[in-house]
Amino acid sequence: MIDFGQLLTVGFSQLIGPSAIFFALLALGLNIHFGYTGLLNFGQIGFALVGAYGMGISVANYGAPLWLGVLIGMACGVVLALVLGIPTLRLRADYLAIVTIAASEILRLITRSTSQTGFTGGTQGLTGFGDAFAAANPFTQPTYNILGLTVRGPDLWSIVVGWTVVGLCVLLTWLLVRSPWGRVLKAIREDEDAARALGKNVFAYKMQALALGGVFGALGGIVFALATQSLTPDFYSPPQTFFAYAALILGGAGRVFGPVVGAMLFWFLLSVSDAFLRQATAGENPLLPFISSQDVGAIRFVLVGVFLGLMMVFRPQGIFGRRREVLGDGR
């Protein structure tokens, strides 16, 4: 018997939870890169990694205050953008794609190396950087009831801070894309040769867009690390970038609120399908006897993938997007 009330409870918890916040910030950065500028960044998770570890190492290893650690993490995102962008942004788009996905994996392997255990924590991960964040929690009760959902005080604090950061990033994106700077980015996306012919420094604008989107990704890593109170290098794997792309495409590329709604809907669908399959394969007389409970984790991605595939057929621009925004070349 399927408990639809439990399905909705699980889905709502993921709709506003730390995972949705994390991928909303990653997708907001990718929206600056791909949606508005046309940059193919396949290593957004690398920006989240350097942001999280920049904050965590500075606070846990060197005793920096949390606010300074957050600034250091954001600065690490800018530095990574410069390192990756300077040699590639003057070349074809595929060079940036190759370099970013390779760099993100290199960074993950470095942070999990046993030789770096004393610095990054290695495979054991890094902790001890979130004490100040936990101490600032104003929600002192053990649990809170929000729309029928029981939320722990520390989790509620992480959710409030996370969505505040998302809201500020959305506001900044909205202001920027309506400015002359944002219109230049769109011009570069449509035809960078035409933008260059009008006297615009295309390389400089691309570099700025890569750095800004990288900072959004770094903020995603910082917020998620503070929410979980730990850093594990294997979490920052390449598939996370493509989950963020799925959220971006689902919500609509080149739209301010598209990445946020897409991230929320992506995790809602993923969690509901997971809960449904686990209920449908449990008990002595399961609803779906041909599916093993060990396969639920993989099949939920198949179901979400089928939904995304259908969406690409019938509405490739996403929920809020416009069809012209997803075209690779506006000419």
Side-chain angles (χ1 to χ4, degrees), residues 122-175:
T123 55
Q124 300 174 4
L126 188 66
T127 57
F129 53 82
D131 295 341
F133 180 77
N137 181 11
F139 304 105
T140 55
Q141 297 182 21
T143 59
Y144 291 83
N145 189 281
I146 301 176
L147 299 177
L149 180 67
T150 301
V151 182
R152 295 174 56 248
D155 294 339
L156 181 59
W157 175 231
S158 301
I159 290 170
V160 170
V161 171
W163 284 113
T164 300
V165 174
V166 170
L168 292 174
C169 291
V170 168
L171 177 61
L172 178 60
T173 301
W174 182 77
L175 292 173

Coordinates of all heavy atoms in Angstrom, one line a residue, residues 122-175:
G122 N 41.9 14.3 3.9 CA 42.0 13.2 3.0 C 40.6 12.5 2.9 O 39.6 13.2 2.8
T123 N 40.6 11.2 2.8 CA 39.3 10.5 2.6 C 38.5 10.5 3.9 O 37.3 10.2 3.8 CB 39.6 9.0 2.3 OG1 40.5 8.4 3.3 CG2 40.3 8.9 0.9
Q124 N 39.1 10.9 5.0 CA 38.3 10.9 6.3 C 37.5 12.2 6.3 O 36.6 12.3 7.2 CB 39.3 10.9 7.5 CG 40.1 9.6 7.5 CD 41.2 9.7 8.6 OE1 41.2 10.7 9.4 NE2 42.0 8.7 8.7
G125 N 37.8 13.2 5.5 CA 37.0 14.4 5.5 C 37.5 15.4 6.5 O 38.5 15.2 7.3
L126 N 36.9 16.5 6.6 CA 37.3 17.7 7.4 C 36.1 18.1 8.2 O 35.0 18.3 7.7 CB 37.8 18.8 6.6 CG 38.5 20.0 7.3 CD1 39.7 19.5 8.0 CD2 38.7 21.1 6.3
T127 N 36.3 18.3 9.5 CA 35.3 18.8 10.4 C 35.9 19.9 11.3 O 37.0 20.2 11.2 CB 34.7 17.7 11.3 OG1 35.8 17.1 12.0 CG2 34.0 16.6 10.5
G128 N 35.0 20.4 12.2 CA 35.5 21.4 13.2 C 35.5 22.8 12.7 O 36.1 23.7 13.3
F129 N 34.8 23.1 11.6 CA 34.8 24.5 11.0 C 33.5 25.2 11.2 O 33.3 26.3 10.9 CB 35.1 24.5 9.5 CG 34.3 23.5 8.8 CD1 33.0 23.9 8.3 CD2 34.7 22.3 8.4 CE1 32.2 23.0 7.6 CE2 34.0 21.4 7.7 CZ 32.7 21.8 7.3
G130 N 32.5 24.4 11.7 CA 31.1 25.0 11.8 C 30.6 25.3 13.2 O 29.4 25.6 13.4
D131 N 31.6 25.4 14.2 CA 31.1 25.7 15.5 C 30.5 27.1 15.6 O 29.5 27.3 16.3 CB 32.3 25.6 16.5 CG 32.9 24.2 16.6 OD1 32.1 23.2 16.2 OD2 34.0 24.0 17.0
A132 N 31.1 28.1 15.0 CA 30.6 29.4 15.1 C 29.2 29.5 14.4 O 28.3 30.2 14.9 CB 31.5 30.4 14.4
F133 N 29.0 28.8 13.3 CA 27.7 28.8 12.6 C 26.7 28.1 13.5 O 25.5 28.7 13.6 CB 27.9 28.0 11.3 CG 26.6 27.9 10.5 CD1 26.1 29.0 9.8 CD2 25.8 26.7 10.5 CE1 25.0 28.9 9.1 CE2 24.6 26.7 9.8 CZ 24.2 27.8 9.1
A134 N 27.0 27.0 14.2 CA 26.0 26.4 15.1 C 25.7 27.3 16.3 O 24.6 27.3 16.8 CB 26.6 25.0 15.5
A135 N 26.8 28.0 16.8 CA 26.6 28.8 18.0 C 25.6 30.0 17.7 O 25.0 30.5 18.6 CB 27.9 29.3 18.5
A136 N 25.6 30.4 16.4 CA 24.7 31.6 16.0 C 23.3 31.2 15.8 O 22.5 32.0 15.4 CB 25.3 32.2 14.8
N137 N 23.0 29.9 15.9 CA 21.6 29.4 15.6 C 20.6 30.0 16.6 O 20.7 29.8 17.8 CB 21.6 27.9 15.7 CG 20.3 27.3 15.4 OD1 19.3 28.0 15.0 ND2 20.1 26.0 15.7
P138 N 19.6 30.8 16.1 CA 18.6 31.4 17.0 C 17.5 30.4 17.4 O 16.7 30.7 18.2 CB 18.1 32.6 16.2 CG 18.3 32.2 14.8 CD 19.5 31.3 14.7
F139 N 17.4 29.3 16.6 CA 16.3 28.3 16.8 C 16.8 27.3 17.9 O 17.4 26.3 17.6 CB 16.0 27.6 15.5 CG 15.6 28.6 14.4 CD1 16.5 28.8 13.4 CD2 14.4 29.2 14.4 CE1 16.2 29.7 12.4 CE2 14.0 30.1 13.4 CZ 14.9 30.4 12.4
T140 N 16.4 27.6 19.2 CA 16.9 26.9 20.3 C 16.1 25.6 20.6 O 16.6 24.7 21.3 CB 16.9 27.8 21.5 OG1 15.6 28.3 21.8 CG2 17.9 28.9 21.3
Q141 N 14.9 25.5 20.1 CA 14.1 24.3 20.4 C 14.6 23.1 19.6 O 15.2 23.3 18.5 CB 12.6 24.6 20.0 CG 11.9 25.7 20.8 CD 10.5 25.8 20.4 OE1 9.9 24.9 19.9 NE2 9.9 27.0 20.7
P142 N 14.4 21.9 20.1 CA 14.9 20.7 19.4 C 14.3 20.6 18.0 O 15.0 20.2 17.0 CB 14.6 19.6 20.3 CG 14.4 20.2 21.7 CD 13.9 21.6 21.4
T143 N 13.0 20.8 17.9 CA 12.3 20.6 16.7 C 11.2 21.7 16.5 O 10.8 22.3 17.4 CB 11.6 19.2 16.6 OG1 10.6 19.1 17.7 CG2 12.6 18.1 16.7
Y144 N 10.9 21.9 15.2 CA 9.9 22.9 14.9 C 8.9 22.2 13.9 O 9.3 21.4 13.1 CB 10.5 24.2 14.2 CG 11.3 25.0 15.2 CD1 12.6 24.7 15.5 CD2 10.7 26.1 15.8 CE1 13.3 25.4 16.4 CE2 11.4 26.9 16.7 CZ 12.7 26.5 17.0 OH 13.5 27.3 17.9
N145 N 7.7 22.7 13.9 CA 6.7 22.1 13.0 C 6.3 23.2 11.9 O 5.9 24.3 12.3 CB 5.4 21.7 13.7 CG 4.4 21.0 12.8 OD1 3.7 21.6 12.0 ND2 4.4 19.7 13.0
I146 N 6.7 22.9 10.7 CA 6.4 23.8 9.6 C 5.6 23.1 8.5 O 6.0 22.2 7.9 CB 7.8 24.2 8.9 CG1 8.7 24.9 10.0 CG2 7.5 25.2 7.8 CD1 10.0 25.3 9.5
L147 N 4.3 23.6 8.5 CA 3.4 23.0 7.5 C 3.2 21.5 7.6 O 3.2 20.8 6.6 CB 3.8 23.4 6.1 CG 3.8 24.9 5.8 CD1 4.3 25.1 4.3 CD2 2.4 25.5 6.0
G148 N 3.2 21.0 8.9 CA 3.1 19.6 9.2 C 4.4 18.8 9.1 O 4.4 17.6 9.3
L149 N 5.5 19.5 8.8 CA 6.8 18.8 8.7 C 7.6 19.2 9.9 O 7.8 20.3 10.2 CB 7.5 19.3 7.4 CG 8.9 18.7 7.1 CD1 8.8 17.2 6.8 CD2 9.6 19.4 5.9
T150 N 8.2 18.1 10.5 CA 9.0 18.3 11.7 C 10.4 18.6 11.3 O 11.0 17.8 10.5 CB 9.0 17.1 12.6 OG1 7.6 16.9 13.0 CG2 9.8 17.3 13.8
V151 N 11.0 19.7 11.7 CA 12.3 20.1 11.3 C 13.2 20.4 12.5 O 12.7 21.1 13.5 CB 12.3 21.4 10.4 CG1 13.7 21.8 10.0 CG2 11.4 21.2 9.2
R152 N 14.4 19.8 12.6 CA 15.3 20.1 13.7 C 15.7 21.5 13.7 O 15.8 22.1 12.6 CB 16.5 19.1 13.6 CG 16.1 17.7 13.8 CD 17.3 16.8 13.6 NE 18.4 17.1 14.4 CZ 19.6 17.7 14.0 NH1 19.8 17.9 12.7 NH2 20.6 18.0 14.8
G153 N 16.0 22.1 14.9 CA 16.5 23.4 15.0 C 17.7 23.7 14.2 O 17.7 24.7 13.4
P154 N 18.8 22.9 14.3 CA 19.9 23.2 13.4 C 19.7 23.1 11.9 O 20.2 23.9 11.1 CB 20.9 22.1 13.8 CG 20.5 21.7 15.2 CD 19.0 21.8 15.2
D155 N 18.8 22.2 11.5 CA 18.4 22.1 10.1 C 17.6 23.4 9.6 O 17.8 23.9 8.5 CB 17.6 20.9 9.8 CG 18.4 19.6 10.1 OD1 19.6 19.7 10.0 OD2 17.8 18.5 10.3
L156 N 16.8 23.8 10.5 CA 16.0 25.0 10.2 C 16.9 26.2 10.0 O 16.7 27.1 9.1 CB 14.9 25.3 11.2 CG 14.0 26.5 11.0 CD1 13.3 26.4 9.7 CD2 13.1 26.7 12.2
W157 N 17.9 26.4 10.9 CA 18.9 27.4 10.8 C 19.6 27.4 9.4 O 19.8 28.4 8.7 CB 19.8 27.4 11.9 CG 21.0 28.3 12.0 CD1 22.3 28.0 12.2 CD2 21.0 29.7 11.8 NE1 23.1 29.1 12.1 CE2 22.3 30.2 11.9 CE3 19.9 30.7 11.6 CZ2 22.6 31.6 11.8 CZ3 20.3 32.0 11.5 CH2 21.6 32.4 11.6
S158 N 20.0 26.2 9.0 CA 20.7 26.0 7.8 C 19.8 26.3 6.6 O 20.3 27.0 5.6 CB 21.2 24.5 7.6 OG 22.1 24.2 8.7
I159 N 18.6 26.0 6.7 CA 17.6 26.2 5.6 C 17.4 27.7 5.5 O 17.4 28.3 4.4 CB 16.3 25.5 5.9 CG1 16.5 24.0 5.7 CG2 15.2 26.0 4.9 CD1 15.3 23.2 6.1
V160 N 17.2 28.4 6.6 CA 17.0 29.9 6.6 C 18.2 30.6 6.0 O 18.1 31.5 5.1 CB 16.7 30.4 8.0 CG1 16.7 31.9 8.0 CG2 15.3 29.9 8.5
V161 N 19.4 30.3 6.4 CA 20.6 30.9 5.9 C 20.8 30.6 4.5 O 21.1 31.4 3.6 CB 21.8 30.5 6.7 CG1 23.1 30.9 6.1 CG2 21.7 31.0 8.2
G162 N 20.6 29.3 4.1 CA 20.8 28.9 2.7 C 19.9 29.6 1.8 O 20.3 30.1 0.7
W163 N 18.6 29.7 2.1 CA 17.6 30.3 1.2 C 17.8 31.8 1.1 O 17.5 32.5 0.1 CB 16.2 30.0 1.5 CG 15.9 28.6 1.0 CD1 15.6 27.5 1.8 CD2 15.8 28.1 -0.3 NE1 15.3 26.4 1.0 CE2 15.4 26.7 -0.3 CE3 16.0 28.7 -1.5 CZ2 15.3 26.0 -1.4 CZ3 15.9 27.9 -2.7 CH2 15.5 26.6 -2.6
T164 N 18.4 32.4 2.2 CA 18.7 33.8 2.2 C 19.8 34.1 1.2 O 19.8 35.0 0.5 CB 19.1 34.3 3.6 OG1 18.0 34.1 4.5 CG2 19.5 35.8 3.6
V165 N 20.8 33.2 1.2 CA 21.9 33.3 0.3 C 21.4 33.2 -1.1 O 21.8 33.9 -2.0 CB 23.0 32.3 0.6 CG1 24.1 32.3 -0.5 CG2 23.7 32.6 2.0
V166 N 20.5 32.2 -1.4 CA 20.0 32.0 -2.7 C 19.2 33.2 -3.1 O 19.3 33.7 -4.3 CB 19.0 30.8 -2.7 CG1 18.3 30.7 -4.0 CG2 19.8 29.5 -2.5
G167 N 18.4 33.8 -2.2 CA 17.7 35.0 -2.5 C 18.6 36.2 -2.9 O 18.3 36.9 -3.9
L168 N 19.6 36.4 -2.2 CA 20.6 37.4 -2.5 C 21.2 37.2 -3.9 O 21.4 38.2 -4.6 CB 21.6 37.6 -1.4 CG 21.2 38.0 0.0 CD1 22.3 37.9 1.0 CD2 20.6 39.5 -0.1
C169 N 21.6 36.0 -4.2 CA 22.2 35.7 -5.5 C 21.2 35.9 -6.6 O 21.6 36.4 -7.7 CB 22.7 34.2 -5.5 SG 24.1 33.9 -4.4
V170 N 19.9 35.5 -6.4 CA 18.9 35.8 -7.4 C 18.7 37.3 -7.6 O 18.6 37.7 -8.8 CB 17.5 35.1 -6.9 CG1 16.4 35.6 -7.8 CG2 17.6 33.6 -7.0
L171 N 18.7 38.1 -6.5 CA 18.5 39.5 -6.7 C 19.7 40.1 -7.4 O 19.5 41.0 -8.3 CB 18.4 40.1 -5.3 CG 18.4 41.7 -5.2 CD1 17.1 42.2 -5.9 CD2 18.4 42.2 -3.8
L172 N 20.9 39.6 -7.1 CA 22.1 40.1 -7.8 C 22.1 39.8 -9.3 O 22.4 40.6 -10.2 CB 23.4 39.6 -7.2 CG 24.7 40.0 -7.8 CD1 24.9 41.5 -7.8 CD2 25.9 39.2 -7.1
T173 N 21.6 38.6 -9.6 CA 21.5 38.1 -11.0 C 20.5 39.0 -11.7 O 20.7 39.4 -12.8 CB 21.1 36.7 -11.1 OG1 22.1 35.9 -10.4 CG2 21.0 36.2 -12.5
W174 N 19.4 39.2 -11.1 CA 18.3 40.0 -11.7 C 18.8 41.4 -12.0 O 18.5 42.0 -13.1 CB 17.1 40.1 -10.8 CG 15.9 40.8 -11.3 CD1 15.0 40.4 -12.2 CD2 15.5 42.2 -10.9 NE1 14.1 41.4 -12.5 CE2 14.4 42.5 -11.7 CE3 16.0 43.1 -10.0 CZ2 13.7 43.7 -11.6 CZ3 15.3 44.3 -9.9 CH2 14.2 44.6 -10.6
L175 N 19.5 42.0 -11.1 CA 20.0 43.4 -11.3 C 21.1 43.4 -12.4 O 21.1 44.4 -13.2 CB 20.6 43.9 -10.0 CG 19.6 44.2 -8.8 CD1 20.4 44.6 -7.6 CD2 18.7 45.3 -9.2

